Amino acid sequence: MTIHPTILSVPAPEGLQPRCAEARTRVVSNTPVNGEYHLLTLDAPAEVLACQPGQFFQLLCPEPEGEHPYLRRPMSIYGYDAEAGQLQFLYKVTGAGTRGLATLKSGDGLNVLGPLGQGFTMPAERKNLLLLARGVGLATLAPLARMAQQQGRRLTAICSARRPELAMSVDLFLSYGAEVIVVHDGDGSATPEALRSVIEAQIAQGRVDAFYTCGSARLLRLLQELGAKHNIPGEVAMEQQMACGLGMCQACVRSFREGDQVVHRRVCREGPVFPISEAIA
Amino acid sequence: MKDLQNTPPCDMGVQIGGLRLANPIMPASGTFSEDLSDVFDLDILGAHVLKTIMRDARAGNPTPRVCDLQGGMLNAIGIPSKGIGYFRDTMLPYWAGYSAPLIVSISAHTMDEFAQLCEEVTLPGVAAIEANISCPNIEADGRAFAMRPDTTEQVMTRLRAATDLPLWAKLTPNTGEPVEVALAAEAAGADALVVANTALGMSIDVRTRQPRLGNIMGGMSGPAIKPIALRMTYQIARACSVPVIGCGGIATRDDALEFMIAGARAVQVGTATFQSPTVMARLVAELSDWAAAEGLTSIEQIIGTVTAPTGGHS
């Protein structure tokens, strides 16, 4: 196994306050979760820990056996704790980059760039939040749930998965005081039709001032439809293949509605969080 | 290694025609924007080279626009551009806030459009124009003006007539006649040659059997293409008298030195910034430390100092 050489960060010139930094972190632990996912915990310097829920990092993944990923891999933040000096990512092994991440052991170094992008917003009037995501998409919503609890907002988290035991972060959302509803493919409760009834019931009980979601085009379309019908705002964290993560290369554009126009926005810079009403699934 | 404390600093400035750069490190077009100011002070660079602009607003290519490879990447971004008005009214005032010389990269589909744009970007605050006559994504099958000496000379002649600013030509590694193309650009009045742009390539996802780029083909960049760009830099610097600016896979201090020893007066750093956004800041510092430790008084002393192989019979 080859690890990319250490890259030292350049000190910020005096007077310049960098929004993000390239930093060397150290692996505290990297453990399997639920059979499908891994939880990576890093010791990270303060310069990269002023994060907002919904932001992401670009990880310089080590090279797994026989593979040579060149570009960094974007990864949404699962947890950050400036006091403890720790940063967490929850990932599923899907390609060369995440295969490389899975080789990391306690004590190994990892070069990270971040925090990047625009995070979720929570205007004061949004007192009752509905979080909906499937699979590893729930990881992106975890820091938002934590912040919502700290601010005394009421949370409902709908966790979707193939099987109930694969539903991610249920205990974490419970610990943040959320009412958790698990839906899965086995009993048909995760279909858009079934979810529509569940969410409509939540709306009828006055439990939804805003939607927050991540990842799934099907779920995004459902929330766009329900948001338009009930006049409920919402935000979605989106994904796209990236190169630089800073906005320079313009690789990660997606289309968005802006009035009666369709415009391109960079997921890394203008996003990854966008208004649900403007996103195009 | 000499004691750096007691070594006088080396003059890192380089001359590119009439333009003096504070050091030889600058970004490659398309890999640089104001967004990088989040990471370091952009004024430490020798110059600022902007992403190619075209006259009219363009959306760019379908996604995926990039794919990852061993030692580099492929891209087919497709030059999304907000057009000349946005450049003049928004970008130019922003970059005027920096002291590093501003190099504006331009491109077009036709010679008329190219010449018109060249005239339109000849504005106060622009230090030089880099004519992207080599972007392989623009025309069908990756053809570009810089593929042939005759089309290179024709377009560069038109651009030369359209501006009094220093005019750089960015050449392509996709031609079989790099020296002839370089000589044609020089004959038409280019003040410097940027060697080179990306190499046309392709990648297929075996599982889906689909190309890994939305545009099917794209430009290969990164450390994997460095030997090709270095070879062209050597060939062209020997054949031409105008300054050559090396570009292709530069990621380390020694990469930059190789290009300068081969004959480049300055270098552009591109894809390496995507892997490490602080790389250019490191190269500026490391090159300066190296030159001082070597006892150079000017970094220009290393330009074109490549020697003959010692060789021997086997």
Side-chain angles (χ1 to χ4, degrees):
Chain A
M1 188 183 78
T2 323
I3 304 266
H4 280 294
T6 307
I7 293 169
L8 301 170
S9 32
V10 169
E14 237 176 315
L16 185 80
Q17 291 210 313
R19 197 181 61 107
C20 62
E22 189 182 327
R24 174 93 169 159
T25 66
R26 194 151 293 282
V27 176
V28 175
S29 60
N30 188 23
T31 51
V33 183
N34 274 10
E36 284 204 324
Y37 304 102
H38 294 257
L39 176 63
L40 176 63
T41 303
L42 304 170
D43 264 336
E47 57 181 344
V48 299
L49 287 172
C51 306
Q52 292 294 316
Q55 286 189 304
F56 70 100
F57 275 77
Q58 283 269 70
L59 308 182
L60 190 54
C61 302
E63 297 189 340
E65 185 76 39
E67 293 180 286
H68 309 276
Y70 182 80
L71 298 171
R72 286 170 184 263
R73 296 299 194 268
M75 188 75 64
S76 60
I77 302 165
Y78 184 59
Y80 60 93
D81 186 337
E83 235 164 79
Q86 290 198 338
L87 192 58
Q88 286 187 314
F89 299 96
L90 187 70
Y91 63 96
K92 185 176 179 175
V93 175
T94 55
T98 43
R99 269 193 291 279
L101 283 185
T103 66
L104 286 171
K105 292 180 181 57
S106 174
D108 286 348
L110 180 68
N111 178 296
V112 305
L113 170 70
L116 298 165
Q118 312 297 323
F120 291 105
T121 62
M122 276 196 288
E125 68 275 14
R126 297 183 186 174
K127 297 189 191 321
N128 303 281
L129 314 182
L130 186 132
L131 280 49
L132 169 66
R134 184 173 167 88
V136 80
L138 287 156
T140 307
L141 302 180
L144 175 77
R146 182 171 175 226
M147 182 173 275
Q149 185 204 29
Q150 286 164 352
Q151 297 178 354
R153 302 179 199 234
R154 192 162 69 166
L155 278 175
T156 306
I158 304 179
C159 304
S160 172
R162 278 189 290 126
R163 299 195 301 277
E165 67 272 21
L166 293 177
M168 287 309 305
S169 309
V170 169
D171 294 342
L172 188 68
F173 285 116
L174 285 170
S175 77
Y176 294 148
E179 181 191 331
V180 176
I181 302 169
V182 175
V183 297
H184 61 97
D185 297 347
D187 65 358
S189 60
T191 64
E193 297 69 35
L195 275 169
R196 184 180 290 110
S197 319
V198 173
I199 297 168
E200 293 266 20
Q202 293 286 324
I203 295 169
Q205 292 168 39
R207 289 188 63 107
V208 189
D209 299 333
F211 297 125
Y212 293 90
T213 189
C214 172
S216 156
R218 262 189 347 165
L219 298 183
L220 172 60
R221 276 193 290 270
L222 174 63
L223 293 182
Q224 283 179 324
E225 186 195 311
L226 288 168
K229 182 176 165 191
H230 297 281
N231 197 26
I232 296 171
E235 297 182 355
V236 55
M238 303 194 85
E239 296 177 344
Q240 181 61 284
Q241 203 177 21
M242 291 182 188
C244 74
L246 285 166
M248 299 180 288
C249 70
Q250 308 200 36
C252 66
V253 297
R254 290 185 69 123
S255 297
F256 293 86
R257 279 181 281 268
E258 205 175 272
D260 52 4
Q261 281 189 311
V262 171
V263 298
H264 276 168
R265 294 180 190 158
R266 297 166 294 183
V267 171
C268 74
R269 191 79 190 186
E270 284 81 40
V273 175
F274 297 95
I276 283 178
S277 58
E278 295 174 6
I280 297 178
Chain B
M1 186 90 164
K2 291 173 191 171
D3 181 2
L4 283 183
Q5 301 300 320
N6 300 320
T7 314
C10 168
D11 176 5
M12 296 303 290
V14 290
Q15 199 70 33
I16 307 291
L19 198 59
R20 183 79 181 167
L21 309 185
N23 66 68
I25 305 294
M26 70 182 97
S29 177
T31 65
F32 179 73
S33 69
E34 67 279 11
D35 305 296
L36 195 59
S37 66
D38 281 351
V39 186
F40 66 88
D41 176 3
L42 302 182
D43 254 345
I44 65 170
L45 298 171
H48 294 157
V49 186
L50 303 188
K51 184 170 175 69
T52 300
I53 60 169
M54 297 185 77
R55 274 205 87 233
D56 301 319
R58 295 159 47 90
N61 282 329
T63 56
R65 290 177 166 187
V66 291
C67 84
D68 193 56
L69 301 167
Q70 180 169 357
M73 63 182 282
L74 282 173
N75 89 79
I77 306 289
I79 314 191
S81 172
K82 290 183 179 169
I84 176 68
Y86 182 81
F87 167 74
R88 194 181 45 228
D89 302 335
T90 306
M91 293 175 74
L92 198 53
Y94 171 83
W95 291 102
Y98 290 97
S99 56
L102 183 68
I103 317 299
V104 177
S105 170
I106 60 170
S107 195
H109 292 294
T110 66
M111 290 196 212
D112 284 346
E113 212 180 311
F114 222 138
Q116 191 180 350
L117 180 57
C118 188
E119 196 175 325
E120 285 169 332
V121 300
T122 301
L123 294 166
V126 177
I129 295 170
E130 180 179 285
N132 179 359
I133 58 172
S134 57
C135 187
N137 299 325
I138 293 173
E139 296 188 288
D141 282 333
R143 276 201 311 275
F145 292 106
M147 289 295 286
R148 291 172 24 182
D150 56 348
T151 47
T152 297
E153 184 150 7
Q154 286 159 20
V155 72
M156 290 306 295
T157 301
R158 292 288 305 276
L159 299 181
R160 182 68 286 169
T163 188
D164 294 328
L165 286 172
L167 179 63
W168 301 359
K170 186 156 178 183
L171 306 184
T172 176
N174 299 322
T175 176
E177 318 168 87
V179 173
E180 292 79 359
V181 166
L183 288 167
E186 181 177 39
D191 296 298
L193 305 170
V194 181
V195 182
N197 208 320
T198 55
L200 194 62
M202 184 170 169
S203 180
I204 293 173
D205 182 326
V206 171
R207 195 178 49 83
T208 63
R209 302 193 190 182
Q210 289 177 350
R212 289 169 70 203
L213 291 176
N215 190 54
I216 303 174
M217 294 182 285
M220 172 87 196
S221 63
I225 68 158
K226 196 191 87 179
I228 297 168
L230 183 67
R231 177 267 298 172
M232 286 179 63
T233 295
Y234 172 72
Q235 289 179 303
I236 291 170
R238 276 201 313 179
C240 297
S241 49
V242 293
V244 170
I245 298 163
C247 178
I250 295 168
T252 67
R253 180 200 71 189
D254 283 1
D255 291 340
L257 285 169
E258 272 191 85
F259 276 84
M260 295 188 75
I261 292 166
R265 299 192 66 81
V267 294
Q268 296 187 345
V269 180
T271 302
T273 294
F274 293 167
Q275 194 186 62
S276 174
T278 54
V279 66
M280 285 190 287
R282 279 200 308 283
L283 292 183
V284 169
E286 289 176 5
L287 205 56
S288 170
D289 288 350
W290 178 87
E294 287 289 307
L296 303 184
T297 54
S298 162
I299 191 69
E300 294 194 323
Q301 289 170 285
I302 63 157
I303 296 167
T305 55
V306 61
T307 57
T310 309
H313 297 286
S314 55

